[in-house]
């Protein structure tokens, strides 16, 4: 099974394979870890995704991404309101507005 996952991850990372979220993630890893280690990291990610799919008994849906030109810009007041809503709804709230601002700038 490991051999098949590594083979699939190497195929995803090839230059002539279609672009998708997994390839983009793997390309970022190549810059930091090198080709072989990033292929292993992507194989592990594939195994985690496959396990989650089997447990949930659903189909894989690629995560939606915004084009770079459509970044998210929030004011500090909007970020504070979102944080308050998250706390009221019992969701995991980000601890500080500074961190929220960083998240909004990096998105």
């Amino acid at each position: 099974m490991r051999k098949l996952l590594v083979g699939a991850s190497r195929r995803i990372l090839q230059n002539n394979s279609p672009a998708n979220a997994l390839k983009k993630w793997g390309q970022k890893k190549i810059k930091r870890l090198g080709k072989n280690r990033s292929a292993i990291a992507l194989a592990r990610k594939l195994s985690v995704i496959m396990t989650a799919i089997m447990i949930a008994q659903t189909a894989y849906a690629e995560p939606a991404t915004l084009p770079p030109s459509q970044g998210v810009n929030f004011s500090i007041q909007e970020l504070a309101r979102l944080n308050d809503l998250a706390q009221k709804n019992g969701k995991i709230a980000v601890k500080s507005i500074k961190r929220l601002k960083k998240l909004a700038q990096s998105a």
Side-chain angles (χ1 to χ4, degrees), residues 16-84:
N16 58 356
S17 68
N20 60 29
L22 291 172
K23 182 174 183 171
K24 189 175 181 182
W25 183 86
Q27 294 295 340
K28 286 181 186 176
K29 291 288 182 186
I30 285 176
K31 291 176 186 172
R32 206 177 81 215
L33 299 175
K35 210 170 196 175
N36 290 328
R37 289 175 68 190
S38 64
I40 300 302
L42 184 57
R44 184 183 186 288
K45 189 173 184 79
L46 287 172
S47 70
V48 170
I49 290 171
M50 287 173 42
T51 303
I53 288 171
M54 287 188 287
I55 290 171
Q57 296 182 352
T58 61
Y60 175 72
E62 194 166 326
T65 57
L66 289 175
S69 62
Q70 296 179 358
V72 179
N73 292 320
F74 291 115
S75 68
I76 293 178
Q77 292 81 17
E78 289 171 321
L79 293 173
R81 186 180 60 79
L82 289 172
N83 191 27
D84 291 340

Side-chain angles (χ1 to χ4, degrees), residues 3-23:
K3 196 175 197 178
L4 293 172
L5 286 169
V6 172
S9 67
R10 289 187 191 281
R11 173 67 179 109
I12 290 171
L13 293 174
Q14 284 180 349
N15 289 335
N16 58 356
S17 68
N20 60 29
L22 291 172
K23 182 174 183 171

Side-chain angles (χ1 to χ4, degrees), residues 86-100:
Q87 287 176 350
K88 287 178 187 174
N89 292 329
K91 305 289 182 194
I92 299 171
V94 179
K95 297 293 181 189
S96 70
I97 293 177
K98 286 182 182 177
R99 184 164 175 205
L100 280 171

